[in-house]
Amino acid sequence: RLAARGDAGMVEAAKALTAQETGRRRFAARLKAHDGRELEVEVSAAAYETPTERAVQFIVQDVGERNARTQALKEAEAFFHSLCDAAPVAIRLVDTEGRATFTSRRWESMAGAGPVGDWFSQVHADDRSRVRSSYAAPARYDEPVCVEYRLRDSAGRERWVLDTLLARCDAEGQWRGWVGAAMDISERKRIEEALRIQSGEVAALLDQCPAPVWTADATGSGYVNQACLAWVGAKPDESRTLDLTRYVHPDDREAWRRARERQLLDRARFD
């Protein structure tokens, strides 16, 4: 009957156990049900003695549904990993202690390491405390947290990273850590530093100019040189945040405002 069901493992176990083998055998098998369906089962077999013969007891458990759930979970996990690896940012799953439990290939390429216990050791010492604080329990779960910091890769190179964190919660709404999406912004930081140096050099040059010079953004605030500060009687610490509008005579402020708005719209000369 076992052979007719088509599973050699059960036949082998029955023969071995009835031939004085001791212990219990456990194995997976596939059986045919009476209606023709194929069943995935786990079998536990053990011999026992009766007054007249040695027999084998089989305990058979249908595990088809469990195996299907396990396979579906494996496929979903593989899809998640593929999705993370294809993303243009470096993705990590981080637990409530800040430990990385999953890292995408882009993170491993950027940081030079896979999941590690204390990845904070790769963060620049001057940034480490601030970054650790960012990974603490959030006040709100629906608001992302953004933090910039310097990260050292396995080759010892220093990178600037923009890390965006989104709280990760379980089905009951309990906080379980973070989903982190990190981007290498080293080139942007280099450009910003170059512009800062250039801006400082231009400001130093303009401060030597005896005529008042004023620049402003769309809000009206901006840089003024030392001659302009002295001209309006402003404080030296206002040189990069001065809004010249508050120094315009009250009777002329409306005309000043309209002229600036026109200049912003038309890019025309501001007279």
Side-chain angles (χ1 to χ4, degrees):
R1 290 177 62 190
L2 290 173
R5 297 290 182 178
D7 189 85
M10 295 186 73
V11 176
E12 180 187 348
K15 289 180 178 179
L17 290 168
T18 52
Q20 308 304 314
E21 181 179 303
T22 60
R24 180 176 292 275
R25 285 195 173 198
R26 292 182 173 85
F27 53 91
R30 292 178 181 271
L31 298 179
K32 289 288 186 181
H34 62 83
D35 59 1
R37 290 181 298 113
E38 187 178 76
L39 303 177
E40 295 181 56
V41 299
E42 283 185 352
V43 182
S44 175
Y48 66 96
E49 301 285 348
T50 70
T52 58
E53 63 180 350
R54 180 179 175 87
V56 178
Q57 177 192 58
F58 288 98
I59 300 176
V60 181
Q61 180 181 7
D62 185 348
V63 294
E65 185 177 343
R66 187 192 71 186
N67 288 350
R69 288 197 301 267
T70 301
Q71 181 61 28
L73 184 61
K74 289 180 179 179
E75 292 175 358
E77 185 175 1
F79 175 74
F80 170 74
H81 288 186
S82 298
L83 194 64
C84 291
D85 289 340
V89 293
I91 296 177
R92 288 163 301 146
L93 298 183
V94 181
D95 64 17
T96 56
E97 300 298 322
R99 294 183 294 261
T101 58
F102 164 79
T103 59
S104 69
R105 290 179 182 174
R106 193 173 294 272
W107 172 266
E108 293 170 12
S109 174
M110 183 169 67
V116 290
D118 184 18
W119 65 272
F120 291 109
S121 61
Q122 292 179 259
V123 177
H124 193 285
D126 294 344
D127 302 333
R128 198 170 299 152
S129 176
R130 177 171 52 84
V131 174
R132 281 189 181 276
S133 297
S134 299
Y135 277 82
R140 293 188 54 168
Y141 296 157
D142 59 343
E143 292 184 351
V145 176
C146 295
V147 57
E148 293 183 2
Y149 55 89
R150 288 159 289 182
L151 183 74
R152 188 185 66 255
D153 64 19
S154 59
R157 295 185 298 262
E158 187 175 274
R159 302 171 183 257
W160 270 100
V161 173
L162 170 61
D163 214 352
T164 302
L165 311 176
L166 188 64
R168 183 163 55 93
C169 300
D170 59 21
E172 286 72 39
Q174 296 297 312
W175 179 60
R176 295 302 181 212
W178 299 96
V179 178
M183 180 183 302
D184 188 339
I185 58 170
S186 303
E187 184 62 23
R188 192 195 82 186
K189 284 293 187 179
R190 281 191 288 270
I191 293 173
E192 288 177 353
E193 179 62 15
L195 289 174
R196 186 190 65 78
I197 294 172
Q198 185 182 54
S199 176
E201 292 173 348
V202 171
L205 182 63
L206 290 177
D207 280 341
Q208 303 304 314
C209 177
V213 177
W214 167 64
T215 64
D217 57 21
T219 67
S221 298
Y223 166 79
V224 296
N225 69 352
Q226 295 299 314
C228 191
L229 286 174
W231 184 44
V232 298
K235 297 177 182 178
D237 59 3
E238 294 183 274
S239 64
R240 295 187 178 276
T241 58
L242 186 72
D243 183 357
L244 207 59
T245 303
R246 60 193 176 95
Y247 293 96
V248 176
H249 193 282
D251 295 345
D252 300 328
R253 281 179 188 166
E254 183 59 25
W256 168 278
R257 185 186 60 79
R258 287 197 302 267
R260 288 203 64 250
E261 289 177 352
R262 191 165 57 250
Q263 189 275 334
L264 289 172
L265 290 173
D266 303 335
R267 300 295 190 268
R269 181 182 176 90
F270 178 29
D271 291 325

